[in-house]
Amino acid sequence: MLANYDTLTASEKRIADYMLHHTAEATTLNASEIAERCSTSNTTVTRFVKELGFESFSQLRLNLARETARETVPQSDDVSFSSFESSVRLVLRNKIAELNETVVNLDVDALKDAVQVIVHSDNVLVAGVGTSLSFAQMFALKLSHVGVKAVSSASIDAEMVLAQLYSTEDCIIFVSNSGSSRRLSTLMGIAQDASIKTIAITGNGESPIAQAADISISVVRRDRMLTPDFDSSHNALNFIADVIVTLLFHMNQDASEYIRLFHKTFGEEKNEMGEEQGQSEQGVSPLRVQQENTS
């Protein structure tokens, strides 16, 4: 339901919302009762079932019952400061469910193809906009740790400039919760004109970015169950990124050396900062120590 949510009609979304928020009760109702509670028709319920890939409502209800049986954390449908502990557990339950459902619905062949494209690309640009921009930058840094020549710019404008310099030997990874950004679509057009290989990792497999990419990987988002109309999390996107980076680490014999060099470079800086902090805590000014050493 969550994987296909954005492609549903308004009446079908009412059914999905009801079944997601009243899961235990929904497993005891028939199609007519669901239609009545959602102020819609039996025909719409049937269409909803087919849209999700089930042959009948009873088959959907059975799978929903099995999903409910696996839930071990006490149920709660509300997030509030007054019920702090149950709110934390609710967020945790939904984040775990996001990952489980992402794996269940994962196109493994597409993921394999994406890893192979990254391995054989001279340069990799990771592109995102809005809240996905910082995630793209983090993803590019992780890729560089395992020997991939990956970058992510500070803005979509800079990404478009970089894309103009890329060739058929390079690839662009698009990361987006919605997959509907106009600016990412413009960047996708630049990539297609230059025959640059493209990979899309989105929360909507039917989005323009996902449909236009050479390789599309879809994830499941549960943000709207917690924060309606606000896709705040990159939980599932980050999981796919971590899977890719982990696979690349084990595929690249030099990956351990890249990481060793990274820790050597930045580890010294961290140690220096730690020493300065220790001296400061002991009442010795780091600036004074530096001056004395200079003298």
Side-chain angles (χ1 to χ4, degrees), residues 14-277:
R14 287 203 303 274
I15 299 172
D17 290 339
Y18 179 83
M19 297 187 75
L20 288 168
H21 289 93
H22 304 84
T23 307
E25 181 183 357
T27 60
T28 67
L29 304 176
N30 59 38
S32 297
E33 291 169 328
I34 291 289
E36 181 180 353
R37 281 166 171 73
C38 299
S39 302
T40 188
S41 65
N42 287 356
T43 302
T44 302
V45 174
T46 300
R47 188 173 63 246
F48 170 76
V49 170
K50 299 295 184 184
E51 182 72 19
L52 299 185
F54 295 100
E55 295 180 0
S56 64
F57 180 78
S58 60
Q59 186 184 52
L60 169 59
R61 186 174 56 190
L62 176 62
N63 279 271
L64 192 62
R66 288 173 177 167
E67 190 73 25
T68 304
R70 289 198 291 266
E71 297 285 359
T72 58
V73 180
Q75 297 275 344
S76 172
D77 290 333
D78 298 315
V79 176
S80 66
F81 194 83
S82 59
S83 55
F84 198 87
E85 184 175 353
S86 63
S87 296
V88 172
R89 291 180 177 273
L90 175 62
V91 174
L92 173 63
R93 178 162 56 86
N94 278 278
K95 295 297 106 178
I96 293 172
E98 269 186 351
L99 300 184
N100 285 332
E101 291 160 15
T102 293
V103 172
V104 168
N105 293 282
L106 182 63
D107 186 339
V108 177
D109 289 335
L111 182 59
K112 287 181 181 178
D113 291 342
V115 172
Q116 289 295 332
V117 166
I118 294 171
V119 166
H120 293 100
S121 293
D122 289 343
N123 300 284
V124 176
L125 172 63
V126 187
V129 296
T131 59
S132 294
L133 179 56
S134 58
F135 170 76
Q137 293 170 336
M138 178 273 297
F139 188 11
L141 181 61
K142 287 184 176 182
L143 289 172
S144 67
H145 281 178
V146 292
V148 177
K149 292 181 180 179
V151 296
S152 181
S153 298
S155 69
I156 185 63
D157 293 332
E159 289 168 353
M160 290 183 186
V161 172
L162 270 177
Q164 301 283 357
L165 304 176
Y166 277 31
S167 71
T168 56
E169 303 302 316
D170 306 315
C171 85
I172 300 177
I173 303 174
F174 294 79
V175 290
S176 172
N177 267 328
S178 68
S180 302
S181 166
R182 291 183 179 179
R183 288 175 291 176
L184 283 183
S185 293
T186 301
L187 180 59
M188 177 65 76
I190 293 172
Q192 290 176 325
D193 289 343
S195 297
I196 301 168
K197 292 176 285 292
T198 55
I199 300 169
I201 307 175
T202 75
N204 182 1
E206 302 299 321
S207 65
I209 296 299
Q211 292 295 305
D214 297 322
I215 302 170
S216 178
I217 301 170
S218 299
V219 302
V220 174
R221 298 170 295 156
R222 280 185 167 233
D223 287 349
R224 295 185 183 184
M225 296 182 66
L226 302 170
T227 51
D229 301 321
F230 178 42
D231 296 324
S232 60
S233 171
H234 293 90
N235 183 49
L237 288 174
N238 190 60
F239 169 73
I240 295 298
D242 282 348
V243 169
I244 291 174
V245 170
T246 303
L247 289 168
L248 290 170
F249 174 85
H250 289 281
M251 293 172 67
N252 187 352
Q253 295 179 349
D254 297 325
S256 295
E257 181 64 15
Y258 286 122
I259 293 176
R260 188 190 68 79
L261 291 172
F262 174 82
H263 286 304
K264 179 181 179 182
T265 302
F266 291 93
E268 292 176 355
E269 178 183 339
K270 291 178 181 179
N271 289 337
E272 289 173 1
M273 292 177 64
E275 291 173 0
E276 290 179 359
Q277 182 179 358

